[in-house]
Amino acid sequence: MFKEYLNIQDIIGPLILLQDVEGVAYGELAEIKLASGEVRRGRVLEIADHRALVQVFEGTRGISKEDVKIKFLGKGMEIGVSSDIIGRIFNGAGEVIDGGPPIIPSKYLNINGSPINPCARDYPKEFIQTGISSIDGMNALVRGQKLPIFSGAGLPHAKIAAQIARQSKVIQFQEKFAVIFAAMGVTFEEADYFITDFKRTGAIERAVLFINLADDPTIERIAIPRMALTVAEYLAYEQDMHILVILTDMTNYCEALREISAARKEVPGRRGYPGYLYTDLATIYERAGRIKGKNGSITQIPILTMPEDDKTHPIPDLTGYITEGQLILSRSLHSKGIYPPIDVLPSLSRLKDKGIGKEKTREDHADVLNQLYAAYARGNYVKELVVVLGESALTPLDMQYMKFSELFEKVFVSQDEEENRAIEETINIGWKILGYLPKTELKRIKQEYIERYYKPWNNSLPENTD
Amino acid sequence: MSANGTIIKVSGPLVVSKGLSGTCIYDMVRVGHYKLFGEVVEIRGDEYFIQVYEETEGLGPGEPVVSTYNAFCVELGPGLIGSIFDGVQRPLDAINRLHGDYIVRGIEHPPLDRTRKWHFYPLKNIGDEVFGGDVIGYVKESRLVKHKIMIPTDTKGRLSMIKEKDGTIEDVIAQVDTANGTKELTMLQKWPVRSFRRVKQKLKSTAPLVTGQRIIDTFFPITKGGVACIPGPFGSGKTVIQHQLSRWVDADIIVYVGCGERGNEMTEVLVDFPVLKDPKTGEPLMERTVLIANTSNMPVAAREASVYTGITIAEYYRDMGYNVALMADSTSRWGEAMREMSSRLEEMPGEEGFPTYLGSRLASFYERSGNVICFGSDDRQGSLSVIGAVSPPGGDLSEPVTQNTLRVVKAFWSLDDRLASQRQFPAINWLTSYSLYQDVVDEYTNIYIHKNWKMYRMKTMEILHKEAELEELVRLVGIDSLSTKDRLLMEVARMIREDYLYQNAYDLRDTYTSLKKQFLMLSVILKYYDKANELLQFNIELSKIISIPSMSNIAQMRFIPEDNFDEFDRLEAKMLQELEALSKNKTS
Ligand SMILES: Nc1ncnc2c1ncn2[C@@H]1O[C@H](COP(=O)(O)OP(=O)(O)OP(=O)(O)O)[C@@H](O)[C@H]1O
Ligand SMILES: [Mg+2]
């Protein structure tokens, strides 16, 4: 039924250029049959006259110009979905790899999706309690938000993501909830960490996993987040579920994109990444959200490792320009032994303002967090001064700020991996450490809240806050 | 005539077709079986290069292309206000109703509602001579906007018919006898987006565009008809400032272009603006707003078009004699869309891959702003202010979009990552930002607000600059090296930063501050400073001066309501009295 083509002209990196094709469309899916009988899949990146440029997902290794048959399938890349998909594990080609039976799809969906009409969006505003103070208190996450973790090699982003997946809940509601986990080029160990944690807590029963490991074909990484999000959309908007999508590691995704761009000899943008990296990432991240009249939602936590811990590198930079904030992990907090090592100052949740406050968290939440920010920033500034000048150059108030900033890290930010703090508790800890500062310093907090909640600190300081 | 082009190549948003002869550059075409929207951007021999405004997946060689032989135009007429359009002016709310939650392909829908009736009130009579640009009547488009119906720019003659009636935008409301016969007029006009609308004369701008944002109005003001840019790294507050300006500026019409940014940010406007009240009129802000949304995940070619769609609509309202303000968030995404199309066209790249015409496109876009005498015989004045966000990669201002923008704009609000991470909002860096409109605005504010405005503003800025110098010194040799006078200055600078420049967009009271209140707030701080300096000369301890009870009232003065300025008198009196008391204690 589909015509088969044999005439390969060029093979460059993950791309093949085919001659003398007929009736092929841009974006169309292709099936490439090797002499060994192995079948790979690809996608048309450009079509001009009778020449088609095809990107091969599994890579071109082992493909020769001869003995290869290619057919075009007349449609874009699709994934079959059904409500049975929950609890299953897939590889980067969308095949089941958990040993169970294949999925019997109730329908096939194009993995590219379509942009949501801004008029159809519902503004995300339901506070998600993750039980982690540095998130809930300082950078609250809401349902339908896209909030990435900017990490670095060797930092515990996987632990944090797993803790979020385990503990997240919306205070007022108990509804259907599932996690979709997409691993792109991560190590076996890291993928295994998630799978084991999901199994331990039973979360695997309400999770869908897509796994592409470091030694799996790189080009598959282009399709994985799109498959994951297509499944997410199906579950959220057709099955009324609240979906948390964890994408790790987006840096590997971007590198796969760079590989294709280089093979096409495109004019590179910054650091060799293609000029359309922003637009491409947006077609992934913008698939988070809420839709009016639908019960479900899609919340995204993409994880990326910043090359050289540099947040101005194009991958974190362009991600930050698209997502609704970012959680940044700090190597220096990590080496001080603080878990989770979230550096709240450069971290940000842009949607927190509509998710917190009276009847959502607590009326004083916004003021408290603004004050904590200001005080912590000042404390850190003082610390910098001390490095240069020594403590003798400080005023007594400066000294208090410096101690405050340590309290903040040791009492507020630091918590156990299994510790699930209610939001009340988080805010109360905030007040507790603000008690270390004189009342008059609390300029960002309304008088009435100060009167209600402020208590001077009269415990002794915790161990080794010298 | 229907031309029959055929697709020969598809590469992302770029399609190449043969056989479109007779089609001009920038004409619209319909591409493929889906009839996708496209615009001819280049012609090489028999090959027509088309940028397609919709997703091209599934398109292939051999499919038909049909030319419309018309340039890409926007529709201008009643019904614009309160609407949200995509980059090529398709009405997103209607599309949402008819086609569901996602934007699918090949949707054709007229921008303006063809069925809605408007009541047309004539302002001219039969027999009157009319010229292009003349206002012949109006409709009440919203509770805030009288939409003036103007004679098309190329028409002149004598009115042979005009009548008050209820009609749709396509109904004839007037007739003009022209040299070339009778011309029927409706309330609908079309205008090619890439050409600017004519004005009679450009004027200097003279009045401030009041934003209610203290750091902007006081230190880096913009005028009605002025141009400003807001560069800053991600999360530094560009969008919040643009939203704040759309809410609070004293313009008559706001056009907000979301160019390649987040869907939720457009939704936020759609949710908030019908509820938020314009401080001047008390009516919902949506009644004066037009939204253009091409979010980052929508087709990139339409992003390139969206700023033109926006500015043409803005010019149209300016032509009615209104003060219009256009926000473009973000012009960098527009520049990137140009870069992407340019690279698909295989043009010779300029700096960082951007096309060599980046600078001239940016300049001619900003040049469409201004304070003008409108086209038409009554010499009415209108203005169009343009405020563009710039998103430099890595926050590095040396990149091409920022640099080309700085060459044309006159107010520069530089957002600073460091301030943003300290939550010192708006994170406009007061040491590096500037406004070339300051003199013009001083003249105005000195007359209309207070004769000391300029003096106060300069004095305050001087304190901030001095603070920066002293900070350097402290970093090197410690706070001990400062005299008490300098330490006082540091304290006052802190007050200026924390109690004046810091402004919380999400606080109901703090979100907007009138010029009058800005002046009163500055005045409290400066009076404190003067008095405190005096006390230092009498050897009164600095620690006492900076811990008088009024300090916490000063910190709260941004919450003083706009209708209760007596509060400032009381605050000032209390503060001076407390300071006075310090010196009495000392001498007694
Ligand atoms: N005036 C303000 N008051 C309170 N919060 C603010 C203010 N300005 C900015 N913020 C905070 O900073 C966050 C980021 O601001 P914003 O979304 O405007 O950044 P941006 O510069 O537009 O970033 P991007 O380039 O990624 O779009 C906001 O979500 C808000 O939390
Ligand atoms: Mg923004």
Side-chain angles (χ1 to χ4, degrees):
Chain A
M1 46 179 227
F2 295 112
K3 203 167 154 193
E4 291 194 329
Y5 298 98
L6 308 167
N7 204 350
I8 295 184
Q9 183 184 323
D10 300 329
I11 306 177
I12 308 160
L15 309 179
I16 54 185
L17 183 65
L18 216 61
Q19 296 267 51
D20 304 326
V21 298
E22 203 67 57
V24 172
Y26 172 71
E28 195 173 336
L29 198 64
E31 236 175 53
I32 300 128
K33 206 165 167 192
L34 274 60
S36 64
E38 183 191 342
V39 177
R40 296 188 192 172
R41 288 174 322 149
R43 177 174 182 266
V44 178
L45 288 186
E46 186 172 306
I47 171 88
D49 289 323
H50 299 286
R51 280 177 303 137
L53 185 67
V54 177
Q55 153 200 332
V56 184
F57 290 118
E58 293 87 344
T60 49
R61 182 173 312 221
I63 295 185
S64 68
K65 283 178 68 170
E66 300 77 28
D67 299 336
V68 171
K69 289 183 192 145
I70 299 173
K71 70 180 179 205
F72 292 91
L73 303 182
K75 57 177 187 189
M77 188 157 174
E78 293 178 333
I79 184 167
V81 293
S82 88
S83 45
D84 302 338
I85 206 165
I86 297 180
R88 305 301 303 270
I89 307 179
F90 300 84
N91 67 9
E95 296 155 356
V96 175
I97 51 164
D98 54 8
I103 301 291
I104 300 167
S106 60
K107 61 163 122 182
Y108 288 90
L109 297 171
N110 187 309
I111 65 163
N112 289 327
S114 299
I116 301 176
N117 188 325
C119 293
R121 280 187 189 267
D122 207 356
Y123 199 76
K125 52 180 181 296
E126 289 151 4
F127 173 74
I128 298 179
Q129 179 178 297
T130 66
I132 299 174
S133 292
S134 45
I135 300 176
D136 297 352
M138 308 301 283
N139 292 298
L141 173 69
V142 299
R143 245 182 202 170
Q145 183 170 10
K146 38 190 180 294
L147 187 66
I149 299 178
F150 289 6
S151 185
L155 294 179
H157 47 263
K159 264 193 198 172
I160 298 172
Q163 189 176 3
I164 295 174
R166 213 163 47 229
Q167 297 183 168
S168 285
K169 68 167 193 197
V170 173
I171 302 180
Q172 289 103 326
F173 312 93
Q174 262 317 326
E175 283 158 337
K176 287 197 283 178
F177 176 74
V179 177
I180 295 186
F181 176 75
M184 290 156 278
V186 301
T187 58
F188 170 77
E189 236 164 298
E190 183 161 344
D192 189 57
Y193 174 82
F194 279 98
I195 297 175
T196 312
D197 196 69
F198 288 166
K199 283 190 176 149
R200 179 174 66 89
T201 57
I204 194 94
E205 304 295 325
R206 43 182 185 85
V208 186
L209 284 71
F210 291 86
I211 309 283
N212 164 285
L213 297 179
D215 52 359
D216 288 335
T218 48
I219 304 306
E220 276 183 5
R221 292 168 199 164
I222 309 274
I224 283 203
R226 298 188 163 82
M227 290 194 285
L229 286 161
T230 306
V231 172
E233 280 165 357
Y234 168 76
L235 294 175
Y237 305 134
E238 295 185 39
Q239 307 286 325
D240 295 337
M241 299 183 78
H242 293 286
I243 307 295
L244 177 69
V245 181
I246 298 174
L247 305 170
T248 183
D249 179 329
M250 289 305 291
T251 302
N252 296 333
Y253 170 85
C254 296
E255 271 158 16
L257 213 60
R258 179 168 67 175
E259 197 178 317
I260 294 171
S261 171
R264 294 185 71 178
K265 305 207 165 49
E266 290 169 339
V267 181
R270 283 172 70 226
R271 305 214 197 172
Y273 291 90
Y276 48 79
L277 184 58
Y278 174 85
T279 303
D280 187 277
L281 285 173
T283 60
I284 294 175
Y285 298 142
E286 275 290 316
R287 290 171 81 174
R290 301 220 52 171
I291 290 183
K292 277 185 210 153
K294 304 272 168 139
N295 285 325
S297 64
I298 298 178
T299 308
Q300 271 189 35
I301 302 195
I303 298 173
L304 58 88
T305 45
M306 299 180 278
E308 286 137 41
D309 291 354
D310 174 11
K311 82 167 181 172
T312 67
H313 182 281
I315 298 171
D317 189 49
L318 296 179
T319 298
Y321 271 124
I322 303 163
T323 53
E324 286 143 350
Q326 68 280 338
L327 299 171
I328 299 191
L329 304 192
S330 140
R331 205 167 285 283
S332 86
L333 284 180
H334 181 63
S335 58
K336 279 192 216 165
I338 287 175
Y339 174 89
I342 295 176
D343 187 355
V344 301
L345 291 178
S347 298
L348 168 72
S349 162
R350 299 171 195 234
L351 301 184
K352 66 174 186 307
D353 302 280
K354 296 224 159 104
I356 64 174
K358 205 173 164 184
E359 279 156 24
K360 295 171 207 154
T361 54
R362 207 166 83 182
E363 76 256 355
D364 54 326
H365 189 164
D367 282 11
V368 170
L369 83 86
N370 282 331
Q371 189 64 60
L372 288 171
Y373 265 118
Y376 182 53
R378 178 147 174 211
N380 283 358
Y381 170 73
V382 174
K383 270 195 213 158
E384 282 172 34
L385 282 188
V386 171
V387 174
V388 192
L389 304 165
E391 289 193 8
S392 58
L394 300 183
T395 64
L397 187 61
D398 281 344
M399 289 291 284
Q400 261 175 304
Y401 270 106
M402 192 169 82
K403 286 267 159 55
F404 170 86
S405 116
E406 290 193 16
L407 281 180
F408 181 79
E409 290 170 7
K410 293 208 161 106
V411 178
F412 187 89
V413 174
S414 171
Q415 68 185 83
D416 194 79
E417 205 187 322
E418 297 292 332
E419 186 181 354
N420 190 352
R421 290 185 188 158
I423 182 63
E424 283 271 348
E425 191 188 344
T426 290
I427 300 175
N428 289 341
I429 297 175
W431 276 107
K432 183 172 145 196
I433 58 173
L434 285 173
Y436 191 73
L437 295 174
K439 212 187 216 174
T440 44
E441 285 298 299
L442 307 188
K443 287 187 173 184
R444 302 257 162 112
I445 304 185
K446 293 209 181 64
Q447 212 55 43
E448 48 171 314
Y449 303 143
I450 297 187
E451 272 149 37
R452 193 166 327 150
Y453 297 106
Y454 178 82
K455 266 201 229 76
W457 176 282
N458 45 23
N459 319 25
S460 58
L461 290 179
E463 298 280 297
N464 37 355
T465 41
D466 38 49
Chain B
M1 167 162 66
S2 102
N4 295 310
T6 316
I7 297 181
I8 55 171
K9 175 175 171 177
V10 186
S11 169
L14 180 77
V15 166
V16 184
S17 167
K18 280 206 152 128
L20 284 176
S21 50
T23 304
C24 301
I25 189 131
Y26 299 128
D27 275 359
M28 294 298 286
V29 293
R30 306 315 291 266
V31 179
H33 298 306
Y34 296 108
K35 295 203 173 73
L36 305 182
F37 241 131
E39 184 180 3
V40 175
V41 290
E42 206 166 283
I43 304 173
R44 295 181 203 159
D46 186 32
E47 295 185 350
Y48 289 72
F49 290 71
I50 300 161
Q51 65 174 359
V52 180
Y53 293 135
E54 301 178 73
E55 174 56 49
T56 52
E57 185 176 300
L59 228 54
E63 289 190 48
V65 179
V66 179
S67 176
T68 66
Y69 298 107
N70 277 311
F72 169 36
C73 288
V74 288
E75 287 193 358
L76 302 169
L80 289 167
I81 296 290
S83 295
I84 175 166
F85 300 105
D86 75 358
V88 286
Q89 216 200 4
R90 288 181 303 182
L92 287 171
D93 43 354
I95 287 178
N96 184 206
R97 278 195 305 277
L98 295 170
H99 302 273
D101 300 331
Y102 295 96
I103 300 174
V104 289
R105 290 191 290 179
I107 298 175
E108 201 172 353
H109 198 289
L112 295 175
D113 191 339
R114 294 296 193 272
T115 56
R116 181 159 172 192
K117 296 229 165 162
W118 302 92
H119 191 81
F120 174 70
Y121 298 91
L123 291 171
K124 296 266 182 199
N125 299 310
I126 293 175
D128 287 352
E129 288 292 336
V130 289
F131 300 89
D134 283 358
V135 175
I136 57 165
Y138 67 91
V139 302
K140 288 183 182 148
E141 188 177 9
S142 78
R143 272 181 275 178
L144 285 177
V145 180
K146 254 191 194 176
H147 189 116
K148 300 184 185 157
I149 306 297
M150 295 171 287
I151 300 280
T153 39
D154 56 356
T155 304
K156 68 172 183 208
R158 183 195 296 270
L159 278 175
S160 55
M161 185 279 271
I162 181 164
K163 72 171 182 242
E164 179 167 350
K165 65 186 266 192
D166 281 325
T168 69
I169 52 172
E170 289 177 313
D171 288 341
V172 175
I173 43 138
Q175 277 176 359
V176 188
D177 286 339
T178 71
N180 313 323
T182 303
K183 188 163 174 182
E184 293 187 328
L185 299 183
T186 66
M187 292 187 269
L188 174 66
Q189 297 190 22
K190 295 190 180 183
W191 191 267
V193 292
R194 294 185 195 273
S195 328
F196 57 86
R197 286 176 62 88
R198 284 172 64 186
V199 299
K200 205 174 221 170
Q201 194 189 332
K202 280 210 166 189
L203 303 170
K204 263 188 68 170
S205 25
T206 50
L209 183 71
V210 180
T211 68
Q213 308 306 299
R214 296 188 285 267
I215 186 165
I216 295 177
D217 289 344
T218 309
F219 298 110
F220 310 108
I222 174 174
T223 52
K224 296 200 166 77
V227 280
C229 75
I230 323 174
F234 65 82
S236 55
K238 299 180 290 296
T239 305
V240 172
I241 291 178
Q242 299 251 19
H243 280 193
Q244 285 295 84
L245 263 52
S246 317
R247 288 181 186 128
W248 310 129
V249 291
D250 60 342
D252 306 303
I253 307 286
I254 304 293
V255 178
Y256 190 97
V257 186
C259 174
E261 292 288 311
R262 302 173 184 81
N264 276 331
E265 289 172 351
M266 297 313 294
T267 310
E268 184 180 6
V269 178
L270 284 173
V271 172
D272 285 351
F273 278 36
V275 195
L276 287 175
K277 300 279 184 329
D278 172 15
K280 221 169 37 178
T281 58
E283 295 292 345
L285 290 171
M286 205 62 200
E287 306 273 317
R288 64 165 196 184
T289 307
V290 185
L291 301 174
I292 314 289
N294 181 273
T295 57
S296 54
N297 55 340
M298 290 188 193
V300 69
R303 185 187 304 166
E304 196 272 330
S306 65
V307 291
Y308 292 107
T309 301
I311 201 146
T312 308
I313 293 171
E315 283 176 333
Y316 174 65
Y317 281 99
R318 174 209 60 197
D319 289 349
M320 295 178 202
Y322 289 123
N323 294 310
V324 184
L326 176 130
M327 317 290 152
D329 187 11
S330 159
T331 59
S332 293
R333 307 300 165 221
W334 172 43
E336 285 160 14
M338 275 187 237
R339 175 170 70 186
E340 182 162 350
M341 291 318 297
S342 162
S343 104
R344 303 254 181 199
L345 287 166
E346 290 164 15
E347 293 172 342
M348 182 66 115
E351 230 181 314
E352 291 190 19
F354 285 102
T356 46
Y357 45 79
L358 174 75
S360 61
R361 292 268 171 97
L362 279 167
S364 56
F365 165 72
Y366 282 108
E367 196 50 33
R368 290 172 78 166
S369 68
N371 186 22
V372 306
I373 298 181
C374 306
F375 202 67
S377 25
D378 64 351
D379 283 354
R380 59 189 182 273
Q381 281 191 29
S383 73
L384 169 52
S385 320
V386 177
I387 296 115
V390 184
S391 319
D396 171 9
L397 300 186
S398 66
E399 58 87 40
V401 178
T402 314
Q403 286 305 315
N404 282 299
T405 304
L406 284 181
R407 269 194 241 145
V408 285
V409 303
K410 297 219 171 80
F412 168 62
W413 302 331
S414 174
L415 297 184
D416 188 315
D417 204 23
R418 194 182 46 90
L419 294 175
S421 68
Q422 295 167 358
R423 287 0 185 215
Q424 169 70 42
F425 290 123
I428 296 177
N429 183 325
W430 50 88
L431 300 175
T432 54
S433 300
Y434 60 80
S435 164
L436 302 181
Y437 300 115
Q438 204 145 43
D439 293 341
V440 178
V441 172
D442 278 341
E443 264 172 48
Y444 177 98
T445 34
N446 267 4
I447 296 169
Y448 293 100
I449 305 299
H450 198 282
K451 61 180 193 318
N452 289 342
W453 176 278
K454 178 173 179 184
M455 189 181 88
Y456 279 21
R457 158 179 85 65
M458 289 178 54
K459 212 163 153 185
T460 315
M461 192 43 83
E462 200 184 297
I463 297 173
L464 290 169
H465 277 269
K466 189 80 206 274
E467 181 200 30
E469 284 169 27
L470 292 177
E471 247 171 8
E472 270 309 296
L473 207 64
V474 170
R475 269 180 200 282
L476 291 175
V477 285
I479 190 101
D480 282 343
S481 62
L482 298 189
S483 65
T484 40
K485 230 174 125 71
D486 286 343
R487 284 200 205 182
L488 173 67
L489 183 136
M490 298 280 278
E491 283 302 324
V492 172
R494 193 209 305 282
M495 283 164 79
I496 296 170
R497 282 187 282 114
E498 293 181 1
D499 306 336
Y500 190 78
L501 298 182
Y502 174 80
Q503 187 168 6
N504 186 344
Y506 300 102
D507 185 276
L508 288 180
R509 286 254 169 77
D510 201 21
T511 184
Y512 172 86
T513 307
S514 64
L515 291 181
K516 181 82 194 167
K517 182 173 162 188
Q518 294 182 27
F519 179 79
L520 292 171
M521 289 174 75
L522 275 188
S523 155
V524 168
I525 296 174
L526 292 176
K527 282 190 179 142
Y528 169 85
Y529 184 44
D530 282 347
K531 188 73 196 174
N533 251 325
E534 230 171 76
L535 295 185
L536 284 184
Q537 294 182 347
F538 294 106
N539 290 327
I540 294 175
E541 276 171 64
L542 180 61
S543 61
K544 288 199 175 128
I545 298 177
I546 61 175
S547 51
I548 56 167
S550 287
M551 293 302 265
S552 63
N553 302 88
I554 294 176
Q556 307 267 330
M557 70 185 166
R558 38 198 192 99
F559 302 115
I560 294 177
E562 288 286 338
D563 55 5
N564 191 13
F565 287 165
D566 294 349
E567 194 66 32
F568 280 100
D569 295 337
R570 282 193 287 276
L571 170 58
E572 205 173 294
K574 177 167 174 263
M575 170 189 85
L576 290 175
Q577 191 196 348
E578 284 167 8
L579 289 172
E580 206 59 60
L582 292 179
S583 69
K584 290 227 181 72
N585 287 349
K586 174 90 178 185
T587 44
S588 64

